[in-house]
Amino acid sequence: MFTTTGSRGLYKAPLCKGLLLVLNGLTVMLTLLPQYQDMFVYSLQAVAHQHQVWRLLCGRLICLDVKDSFCSSLLIYNFRIFERRFGTRKFASFLLGTWFLSSLVDFLLAQAFQFLFEHEVEELPAGLLAPVFSLFVPFYQSIPRMPVTQVLGHIHITNKTLVYIVGLQLLTSSPFMWLLALSGLISGGLYHSNALWLQKVFFVPVWVSSVGKYILEPLFSSSQPNDETPLGMGATLDIQRQQRMDLLDQQLLLAQYNEARRNVRRQPQVGGLLQWTRLFPSLRHRGQNRPPVQPHPEAQTHQSTQPPLLENSPVAEEQVARLVEMGFSRIDALEALRASNNDINMATNFLLQH
């Protein structure tokens, strides 16, 4: 939606789809039935003094503010890329772990605020807010920044800018939303780094994942979208022309990439390089990280004995490691970096779309 992590809707993201439908549906119902909203208020005072532990479950799942529900839904929709890449079970384990951790951190931060400023925090905004904020941790560390445009010639707009703007909007929607945001970032950092082996403590069991796969996944699964969707009817001619050019350039680029992978498996490539700069003039200045390759006349005379393979082309090991940390296999990461002329942003787009 906001980033270049694909535009396939909620395909292969049944958990995100279920959260969007169920939680937003309950928010609308509570808006229409305000007499039941008191049951879903996230009251720290009621939990601590009246021992109403059930408020931790009710108050930390459903948003009572429609604006908070809308902003958190936009963020969940954008963060669906993690469910696609790491799988539904691992994504659910992350949400479960950060939910439990943030519930503890909420009380610690509230007590620290009361100790420092002598002001008791009685209520916090309701909803699945802290786990949503925790997803900013893998979003910041795993999704690379890709420049989109510039404002006033100095302010760079990237593929992640609008996501941070939505997060900032959610952060400023309530007086104590900052406490939930800080709690979510702390819990997300702890769980993502596997501090104290938290990933082995808070996780979704295999049998629960199997039950959800056979019962819940058919209800919230989405069919594979058609990549050949028509352009918007309301777009201007210039926008339509630019969209067609971008679509054609993407199709040619992906076709060349797939052809390179097939040729590597069948037979070695002569010279070991793909002539991207000749086929795509718009990509000529993207290979600055790649050292220039000088022609070797001796290699032309001995091509039949020792043909250079595509595997010999230089690839930055740091970029390979970054792609592997995102969940891709090392072989796919190497092929994508070679095909994209060592451009990690283009290689990421290749791997996310396959």
Side-chain angles (χ1 to χ4, degrees):
M1 183 173 184
F2 298 119
T3 66
T4 55
T5 53
S7 59
R8 298 175 179 268
L10 292 168
Y11 176 62
K12 290 186 177 180
L15 180 58
C16 290
K17 184 177 180 180
L19 291 176
L20 292 176
L21 293 177
V22 175
L23 297 183
N24 287 314
L26 292 175
T27 299
V28 174
M29 291 179 58
L30 290 177
T31 303
L32 299 176
L33 301 173
Q35 62 271 23
Y36 297 103
Q37 290 186 1
D38 183 68
M39 298 177 57
F40 298 90
V41 174
Y42 185 19
S43 176
L44 297 180
Q45 186 179 15
V47 175
H49 300 290
Q50 303 177 13
H51 305 288
Q52 297 180 0
V53 184
W54 54 269
R55 288 190 178 274
L56 289 176
L57 179 62
C58 298
R60 305 186 76 249
L61 285 179
I62 305 172
C63 291
L64 298 180
D65 192 339
V66 178
K67 181 177 58 177
D68 294 345
S69 178
F70 178 75
C71 292
S72 61
S73 298
L74 290 179
L75 294 175
I76 291 175
Y77 180 82
N78 181 81
F79 292 147
R80 72 198 187 283
I81 182 61
F82 297 117
E83 183 177 3
R84 291 178 182 170
R85 181 52 52 190
F86 302 122
T88 301
R89 179 171 177 260
K90 188 174 181 180
F91 182 72
S93 298
F94 183 89
L95 292 179
L96 179 65
T98 54
W99 189 89
F100 279 106
L101 291 175
S102 60
S103 62
L104 176 61
V105 178
D106 287 348
F107 280 92
L108 295 179
L109 292 178
Q111 293 297 323
F113 184 82
Q114 181 179 0
F115 176 78
L116 294 175
F117 301 99
E118 297 182 355
H119 179 77
E120 184 179 4
V121 181
E122 297 181 356
E123 293 183 3
L124 290 176
L128 193 70
L129 299 174
V132 171
F133 279 112
S134 68
L135 289 170
F136 276 99
V137 175
F139 179 76
Y140 175 79
Q141 296 182 353
S142 303
I143 304 299
R145 294 173 53 194
M146 289 179 284
V148 177
T149 184
Q150 291 184 355
V151 177
L152 302 178
H154 300 284
I155 304 176
H156 296 274
I157 304 297
T158 67
N159 60 317
K160 304 169 70 173
T161 301
L162 291 179
V163 181
Y164 290 129
I165 292 177
V166 175
L168 183 62
Q169 173 65 34
L170 182 61
L171 177 64
T172 57
S173 62
S174 301
F176 286 102
M177 186 66 75
W178 64 267
L179 193 146
L180 290 177
L182 182 59
S183 174
L185 293 177
I186 293 175
S187 59
L190 292 175
Y191 193 87
H192 186 68
S193 61
N194 197 20
L196 302 177
W197 299 279
L198 291 175
Q199 295 181 8
K200 295 183 179 180
V201 178
F202 301 103
F203 64 94
V204 176
V206 178
W207 66 270
V208 175
S209 178
S210 301
V211 171
K213 181 178 180 181
Y214 290 103
I215 298 179
L216 299 179
E217 186 173 352
L219 298 176
F220 301 110
S221 61
S222 300
S223 59
Q224 184 175 2
N226 186 9
D227 293 335
E228 298 177 357
T229 56
L231 300 176
M233 297 300 295
T236 62
L237 294 177
D238 293 337
I239 295 178
Q240 290 182 3
R241 187 180 301 109
Q242 183 65 33
Q243 288 177 338
R244 292 191 184 96
M245 293 175 62
D246 294 341
L247 182 61
L248 180 60
D249 184 66
Q250 183 183 16
Q251 291 176 349
L252 291 174
L253 199 62
L254 293 176
Q256 187 71 13
Y257 170 68
N258 294 329
E259 182 65 22
R261 296 184 64 179
R262 289 194 294 267
N263 291 337
V264 168
R265 295 186 179 94
R266 290 195 303 240
Q267 58 184 3
Q269 296 284 338
V270 178
L273 294 175
L274 296 176
Q275 301 297 329
W276 292 97
T277 57
R278 179 175 61 85
L279 294 176
F280 307 104
S282 61
L283 307 179
R284 289 177 181 173
H285 303 287
R286 295 190 180 182
Q288 298 178 358
N289 296 331
R290 187 171 187 166
V293 180
Q294 301 294 335
H296 298 281
E298 301 174 355
Q300 298 178 359
T301 59
H302 300 283
Q303 289 178 358
S304 60
T305 57
Q306 293 181 349
L309 298 176
L310 188 63
E311 286 81 356
N312 294 332
S313 58
V315 174
E317 187 63 30
E318 180 182 356
Q319 296 180 352
V320 177
R322 288 183 61 185
L323 292 177
V324 172
E325 290 177 356
M326 293 174 61
F328 305 110
S329 66
R330 180 177 178 83
I331 297 177
D332 293 339
L334 289 172
E335 292 180 355
L337 286 171
R338 294 190 186 103
S340 61
N341 207 10
N342 220 19
D343 190 320
I344 189 171
N345 296 330
M346 191 181 304
T348 304
N349 286 333
F350 284 144
L351 296 173
L352 289 175
Q353 294 174 6
H354 286 78

